[in-house]
């Protein structure tokens, strides 16, 4: 219990530091920390704003953006494994958290990590009682080789299943179920945690 | 309409048949229609006490029309006025306009739609019995002529029961001594092509007579008195042999005189055959059996009836070809990866697959089929089913890779352990031919190598995202060289000189 809250504090601190560092945070993710136990640490938007008061918005009732530190997954240089990083995501409401985490997968931040989601558009990301509905659009550049498709599916699952409330992922492409994302791997519908 | 009604006596006889009883040694479930084994691309499965069989068996042997809706995952079985709509993984079945519940839902196994045979067969008016001892399902088709009268007159054939029991005993000894050695034998796909139209003759009529068995050159000729229908041909392995059962027929006196005990032998001089054996395999129903003991892979190709005398059946013994399925990845709406200069992976894959297939067609021992031979989209499961239903010997999927601009090299993927040797052999030939970096033989659960039931691999020839790799991959001479290496790898694996 003690240990857990310590890590929580540390991560919250990291989140504040990233917010302080400014908007470059999205592209310059901290180095991989796979040994960090909790996959998600929340810090309310207040922590950030107390450290760095922002200019009041024109709409005073607009909710403060929230931040969370999450694990993000990229291809390694060789294309045979994943690289995990700790990234702070910013989102308006809880329902936007998953989309924000997915978008972070498109910004590896350094040349040793390769985005597996170039050419992907996350058209719709919705969580309904444990079921995460994800509608994708893939442009021509999104289609990779067989091994990279496997890594892409792994990265997608690891990213979304780090949120304990996500039990299943229902992936569609342009609104339709597909047998395979890129023509090598199965695309189960839904993807379950065990898979 | 041929007469297909089989009496209760025959049923008893069948249960006691030795080849059936011995099959109990092997765990697989056997399926019989009017006493003839039905060959399936995947063996029947028993789930919670229900036997599920591939839909193709129902379509081809039970005379029903089968439709498939990929979107709804529904199978429609139609025969006469009977219409069944079954849904994969759902126990509800629409029977006409009523709904009934199945104990076990239809499912997909290795790309084959599996339906509960008892439910479907009974709805189609067949009689279904299960024999626990031999783990066999027996289907009996009644002729349309007797079906109408049958409902109240089932007892009509019971008189045959007593004599059948005696007959069964005789059949037991005959079969056992015949040394057909059917334990664990599996009927090979396609071998039982004649099953559906093999009719059961009237029990009162006299059996046909096998007058002579001749093997000259490559040709086996069976001379009969013209009463019997086409023999049932099937393949058994361990040791390899081809079996011809002449239905409702007995050996004539001259052949019977050559039996040593219950089996006669014909010596042959042939590169593929060791010897030929024959026996009165079963007495109820009377069945004469002819077995060719093989030296290696061989098949019997039926000779057209118009080339033969009436009552003759002939087959040419030929080296069995290996069936190699070549799979060009992607296609149609799925372009695959887009190369560094904007070319499509599907184009590269098809060019390579076509070149490989053209080279393989020159090989006398290899038959080749392509999952696609033009720019069409084929679902991954359909590629798998394509190879599995044809009982292919090898499956090779050809792809072009994509990752970063600096990625380069050749990879060969397999998934099931039985595919590893094939992967290694192909990779050994492929890497020097591409001249790219050797990125190894790897195991990944790609659909086509996971779902196929024969040694199956996927090659990633090189990286379309790499300028150097890509330039070569769209070069004609490079493609020819790589195609030749894949063919060399296939021949190496199959031990073909």
């Amino acid at each position: 219990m003690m240990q857990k809250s310590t890590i929580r504090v540390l991560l919250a601190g990291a989140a504040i530091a990233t917010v302080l560092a400014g908007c470059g945070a999205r592209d310059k993710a901290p180095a991989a920390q796979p040994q960090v136990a909790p996959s998600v640490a929340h810090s309310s938007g207040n922590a950030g704003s107390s450290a760095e008061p922002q200019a009041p918005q024109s709409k005073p009732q607009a909710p403060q953006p929230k931040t969370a530190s999450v694990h993000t997954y990229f291809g390694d240089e060789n294309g045979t494994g994943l690289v995990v990083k700790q990234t702070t995501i910013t989102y308006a409401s809880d329902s936007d958290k998953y989309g924000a985490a997915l978008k972070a997968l498109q910004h590896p931040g350094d040349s040793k990590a390769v985005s597996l989601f170039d050419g992907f558009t996350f058209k719709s990301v919705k969580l309904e009682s444990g079921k995460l509905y994800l509608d994708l659009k893939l442009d021509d550049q999104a289609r990779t080789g067989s091994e990279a498709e496997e890594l892409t599916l792994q990265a997608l699952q690891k990213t979304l299943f780090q949120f304990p409330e996500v039990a299943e992922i229902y992936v569609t492409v342009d609104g339709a179920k597909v047998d395979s994302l890129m023509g090598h791997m199965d695309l189960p519908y839904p993807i379950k945690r065990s898979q | 309409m041929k007469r297909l009604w089989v009496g209760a006596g025959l049923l008893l006889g069948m249960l006691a048949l030795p080849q059936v009883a011995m099959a109990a040694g092997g765990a697989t479930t056997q399926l019989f229609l009017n006493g003839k084994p039905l060959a399936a691309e995947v063996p029947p499965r028993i789930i919670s006490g229900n036997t599920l069989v591939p839909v193709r068996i129902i379509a081809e042997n039970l005379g029903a029309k089968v439709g498939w809706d990929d979107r709804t995952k529904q199978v429609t079985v139609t025969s006469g006025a009977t219409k069944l709509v079954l849904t994969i993984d759902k126990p509800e079945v629409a029977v006409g306009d009523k709904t009934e519940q199945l104990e076990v839902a239809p499912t997909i196994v290795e790309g084959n739609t599996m339906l509960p045979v008892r439910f479907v067969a009974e709805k189609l008016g067949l009689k279904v019995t299960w024999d626990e001892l031999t783990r066999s399902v027996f289907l009996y088709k009644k002729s349309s002529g007797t079906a109408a009268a049958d409902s109240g007159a089932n007892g009509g054939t019971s008189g045959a029961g007593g004599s059948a029991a005696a007959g069964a005993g005789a059949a037991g000894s005959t079969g056992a001594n015949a040394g057909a050695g059917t334990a664990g034998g599996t009927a090979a796909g396609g071998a039982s092509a004649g099953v559906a139209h093999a009719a059961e003759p009237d029990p009162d009529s006299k059996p046909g007579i096998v007058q002579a068995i001749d093997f000259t050159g490559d040709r086996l000729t069976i001379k009969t008195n013209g009463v019997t229908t086409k023999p049932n041909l099937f393949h058994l392995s361990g040791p390899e042999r081809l079996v011809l059962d002449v239905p409702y027929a007995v050996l004539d006196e001259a052949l019977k005189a050559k039996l040593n005990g219950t089996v006669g032998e014909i010596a042959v001089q042939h590169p593929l055959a060791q010897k030929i054996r024959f026996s009165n395999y079963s007495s109820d129903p009377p069945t004469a059996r002819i077995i060719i003991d093989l030296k290696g892979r061989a098949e019997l190709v039926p000779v057209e009836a118009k080339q033969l005398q009436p009552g003759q059946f002939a087959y040419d013994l030929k080296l069995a070809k290996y069936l190699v399925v070549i799979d060009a990845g992607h296609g149609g709406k799925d372009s695959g990866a887009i190369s560094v200069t904007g070319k499509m992976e599907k184009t590269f894959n098809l060019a390579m697959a076509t070149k490989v297939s053209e080279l393989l067609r020159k090989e006398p021992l290899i038959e080749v089929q392509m999952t696609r031979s033009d720019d069409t989209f084929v679902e991954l499961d359909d590629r798998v089913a394509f190879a599995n239903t044809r009982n292919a010997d090898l499956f090779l999927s050809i792809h072009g890779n994509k990752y970063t601009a600096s990625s380069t090299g050749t990879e060969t993927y397999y998934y099931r352990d039985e595919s590893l040797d094939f992967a290694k052999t192909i990779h050994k030939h492929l890497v020097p031919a591409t001249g790219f970096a050797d990125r190894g033989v790897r195991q990944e659960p790609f659909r086509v190598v996971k779902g196929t039931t024969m040694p199956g691999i996927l090659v990633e020839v090189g990286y379309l995202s790499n300028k150097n790799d890509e330039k070569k991959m769209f070069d004609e001479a490079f493609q020819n060289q790589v195609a030749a290496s894949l063919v060399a790898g296939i021949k190496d694996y199959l031990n073909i000189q």
Side-chain angles (χ1 to χ4, degrees):
Chain A
M1 211 36 215
M2 273 292 287
Q3 221 175 0
K4 205 164 186 178
S5 50
T6 314
I7 292 166
R8 221 165 236 270
V9 170
L10 282 175
L11 286 174
I16 294 164
T18 343
V19 171
L20 286 171
C23 50
R26 223 161 87 112
D27 295 322
K28 288 182 185 164
Q33 297 174 346
Q35 73 277 22
V36 174
S39 54
V40 187
H42 294 277
S43 66
S44 79
N46 294 337
S49 61
S50 67
E52 186 196 43
Q54 289 176 338
Q57 306 266 310
S58 55
K59 289 182 203 160
Q61 73 273 33
Q64 293 285 348
K66 298 179 175 185
T67 61
S69 180
V70 297
H71 284 149
T72 47
Y73 298 86
F74 306 93
D76 66 11
E77 273 183 293
N78 198 28
T80 53
L82 290 179
V83 172
V84 58
K85 297 188 172 215
Q86 193 89 29
T87 308
T88 300
I89 54 168
T90 308
Y91 49 95
S93 65
D94 282 346
S95 60
D96 300 330
K97 185 168 63 179
Y98 315 104
L102 290 171
K103 278 187 190 141
L105 300 179
Q106 295 176 316
H107 302 278
D110 70 65
S111 62
K112 297 212 166 173
V114 177
S115 166
L116 295 164
F117 293 88
D118 282 352
F120 276 66
T121 309
F122 304 105
K123 287 165 70 176
S124 148
V125 189
K126 279 185 303 198
L127 183 71
E128 284 169 17
S129 51
K131 297 174 175 177
L132 193 121
Y133 293 92
L134 170 60
D135 189 34
L136 298 171
K137 183 175 181 57
L138 273 68
D139 74 21
D140 283 350
Q141 288 309 317
R143 298 178 190 284
T144 57
S146 49
E147 178 99 61
E149 179 183 0
E150 209 264 330
L151 295 178
T152 303
L153 290 175
Q154 268 191 44
L156 183 79
Q157 292 173 52
K158 283 177 185 282
T159 302
L160 292 172
F161 285 142
Q162 73 184 302
F163 303 108
E165 65 274 24
V166 176
E168 294 173 334
I169 310 168
Y170 292 76
V171 180
T172 50
V173 177
D174 297 318
K177 275 202 262 182
V178 291
D179 285 356
S180 176
L181 209 53
M182 300 182 196
H184 315 99
M185 293 288 296
D186 285 331
L187 183 63
Y189 190 88
I191 303 170
K192 294 178 179 164
R193 271 188 181 269
S194 55
Q195 285 167 341
Chain B
M1 198 56 200
K2 287 173 180 169
R3 296 205 56 192
L4 292 163
W5 168 238
V6 181
L10 174 58
L11 167 61
L12 287 172
M14 286 308 299
L15 290 175
L17 271 190
Q19 88 270 29
V20 176
M22 288 173 77
T28 54
T29 301
Q30 300 259 32
L31 200 60
F32 294 84
L33 174 65
N34 295 343
K36 312 295 183 308
L38 298 185
E41 55 266 40
V42 294
R45 297 278 167 112
I46 298 184
I47 301 172
S48 308
N50 287 262
T51 305
L52 278 73
V53 300
V55 66
R56 210 162 67 100
I57 284 204
I58 289 168
E60 291 182 359
N61 297 301
L62 307 192
K65 270 193 192 154
V66 176
W68 167 249
D69 184 332
D70 195 50
R71 203 177 46 79
T72 57
K73 304 284 178 215
Q74 282 184 332
V75 185
T76 309
V77 181
T78 321
S79 176
T82 312
K83 185 180 175 189
L84 312 172
V85 182
L86 303 96
T87 310
I88 298 302
D89 297 332
K90 295 234 166 72
E92 294 83 20
V93 187
V95 182
D97 44 14
K98 288 183 194 148
T99 301
E100 293 188 29
Q101 291 282 325
L102 292 170
E103 284 177 51
V104 170
T107 185
I108 293 180
V109 174
E110 293 162 8
N112 287 277
T113 303
M114 308 288 283
L115 302 182
V117 65
R118 175 180 290 273
F119 183 89
V120 173
E122 285 182 349
K123 291 293 174 197
L124 297 178
L126 279 84
K127 187 166 150 52
V128 182
T129 60
W130 162 254
D131 182 55
E132 178 58 36
L133 182 70
T134 60
R135 303 186 67 75
S136 300
V137 176
F138 295 93
L139 306 175
Y140 295 94
K141 188 147 71 174
K142 303 159 194 172
S143 78
S144 58
T146 55
D150 179 59
S151 53
N154 248 338
T157 50
S158 62
S163 61
S173 61
T174 308
N177 292 341
T182 48
T186 49
S192 62
V195 166
H197 39 87
E200 287 301 332
D202 191 317
D204 297 331
S205 72
K206 286 199 167 171
I209 294 171
V210 175
Q211 297 164 329
I213 302 164
D214 174 71
F215 191 82
T216 307
D218 292 334
R219 183 163 294 185
L220 173 73
T221 306
I222 303 167
K223 221 172 134 186
T224 75
N225 64 349
V227 171
T228 179
T229 53
K230 198 169 103 182
N232 295 309
L233 167 63
F234 56 100
H235 168 255
L236 295 169
S237 47
E240 295 282 313
R241 56 216 189 275
L242 291 162
V243 181
L244 284 156
D245 276 347
V246 189
Y248 208 64
V250 295
L251 302 171
D252 84 353
E253 292 305 321
L255 283 171
K256 264 172 81 179
K258 291 181 184 165
L259 298 180
N260 179 10
T262 54
V263 191
E265 258 188 46
I266 301 170
V268 293
Q269 295 288 329
H270 194 276
L272 299 173
Q274 291 180 358
K275 62 180 183 300
I276 293 171
R277 292 178 288 147
F278 58 94
S279 68
N280 275 323
Y281 179 63
S282 158
S283 61
D284 194 357
T287 305
R289 172 169 280 193
I290 298 154
I291 299 167
I292 304 182
D293 291 311
L294 299 172
K295 292 177 178 168
R297 288 170 54 91
E299 61 186 356
L300 281 174
V301 181
V303 177
E304 279 182 55
K306 63 184 174 191
Q307 295 182 32
L308 301 167
Q309 305 288 324
Q312 281 191 1
F313 302 98
Y315 304 82
D316 287 334
L317 184 65
K318 291 191 171 156
L319 206 54
K321 288 187 175 191
Y322 292 99
L323 174 59
V324 178
V325 169
I326 301 294
D327 175 51
H330 311 285
K333 67 180 182 187
D334 176 9
S335 62
I338 304 296
S339 85
V340 65
T341 63
K343 296 190 179 83
M344 293 180 182
E345 183 200 340
K346 67 176 181 179
T347 314
F348 168 78
N349 297 342
L350 182 60
M352 284 303 313
T354 306
K355 285 177 188 295
V356 170
S357 300
E358 278 169 5
L359 290 175
L360 287 175
R361 282 196 186 100
K362 295 179 188 164
E363 295 295 330
L365 294 183
I366 293 176
E367 186 193 337
V368 62
Q369 293 203 31
M370 300 172 78
T371 54
R372 69 176 179 100
S373 52
D374 55 16
D375 184 20
T376 22
F377 176 71
V378 184
E379 293 281 8
L380 296 179
D381 274 341
D382 292 337
R383 297 170 196 258
V384 169
F386 184 94
N388 290 355
T389 54
R390 284 166 177 75
N391 252 313
D393 294 290
L394 293 176
F395 178 89
L396 169 66
S397 185
I398 303 176
H399 284 251
N401 215 340
K402 181 174 183 180
Y403 197 52
T404 67
S406 57
S407 306
T408 174
T410 302
E411 295 149 25
T412 301
Y413 290 92
Y414 73 103
Y415 182 68
R416 291 163 297 112
D417 289 337
E418 66 157 321
S419 303
L420 177 59
D421 282 346
F422 183 37
K424 282 181 176 167
T425 308
I426 286 288
H427 196 70
K428 187 178 79 189
H429 290 267
L430 177 60
V431 171
T434 64
F436 299 155
D438 180 354
R439 285 174 56 89
V441 171
R442 304 183 190 175
Q443 187 176 25
E444 288 291 355
F446 302 139
R447 183 67 196 143
V448 293
V449 293
K450 188 176 160 191
T452 39
T453 48
M454 68 294 310
I457 60 169
L458 183 152
V459 293
E460 290 278 12
V461 174
Y463 278 82
L464 295 167
S465 50
N466 178 292
K467 263 190 190 166
N468 176 51
D469 283 17
E470 192 247 19
K471 194 176 173 203
K472 287 186 177 159
M473 287 164 76
F474 283 99
D475 174 78
E476 183 87 21
F478 175 90
Q479 289 184 355
N480 288 335
Q481 185 176 314
V482 171
S485 77
L486 292 170
V487 170
I490 289 166
K491 287 172 66 180
D492 186 355
Y493 180 77
L494 294 175
N495 262 321
I496 297 173
Q497 300 304 312

